[in-house]
Amino acid sequence: QVQLVESGGGLAQPGGSLSLSCAASTSRFAINAMGWYRQAPGVERELVAYITSGGTIKYTDSVKGRFTISWGDAKYTVSLQMNTLKREDTAVYYCVASYYYRIGTSDEDTWGQGTQVTVSP
């Protein structure tokens, strides 16, 4: 059983910055990947970024060079620094934790409740 606590997000102007954090606790197996998906109204949910326990990092093309994902100091904590935000980054961002080495592909993955990120003048 994995539990997630999400924080961060909010409102920013285009070109601004926001950050997201997610902390996981597990009572069974080790977590090997954490990251975020996002979903905007009327748009399919998409992978934003994830990081594995081995340090592998994956970003979707639209956020490369603007977003940075990293492990926190505490075990099973992850942060997403979002810079140079664009209006199209507006979405609900979902933290995901996985026993496997990528997120969002297993029924055993745990999803957070979501955090709103709004980019608007």
Side-chain angles (χ1 to χ4, degrees):
Q1 194 90 13
V2 175
Q3 294 184 328
L4 299 176
V5 177
E6 300 171 280
S7 60
L11 175 65
Q13 293 185 341
S17 299
L18 288 171
S19 63
L20 300 175
S21 294
C22 184
S25 60
T26 177
S27 59
R28 294 186 65 192
F29 307 114
I31 294 169
N32 286 303
M34 293 183 67
W36 280 269
Y37 275 74
R38 68 185 179 187
Q39 186 166 27
V43 179
E44 282 192 10
R45 190 167 54 191
E46 68 167 346
L47 174 69
V48 177
Y50 69 85
I51 185 168
T52 73
S53 55
T56 298
I57 291 174
K58 168 76 173 178
Y59 296 104
T60 193
D61 286 346
S62 63
V63 307
K64 286 180 180 177
R66 300 189 298 120
F67 289 13
T68 302
I69 191 169
S70 60
W71 289 113
D73 292 335
K75 193 173 185 179
Y76 301 145
T77 61
V78 63
S79 295
L80 184 69
Q81 178 65 39
M82 303 181 290
N83 297 329
T84 319
L85 285 163
K86 304 177 180 179
R87 296 190 72 165
E88 50 265 42
D89 294 320
T90 296
V92 177
Y93 285 66
Y94 296 91
C95 178
V96 183
S98 179
Y99 300 130
Y100 306 100
Y101 290 90
R102 61 175 301 168
I103 62 169
T105 59
S106 169
D107 290 341
E108 295 179 273
D109 289 355
T110 300
W111 291 71
Q113 293 186 335
T115 301
Q116 179 68 45
V117 170
T118 302
V119 183
S120 179

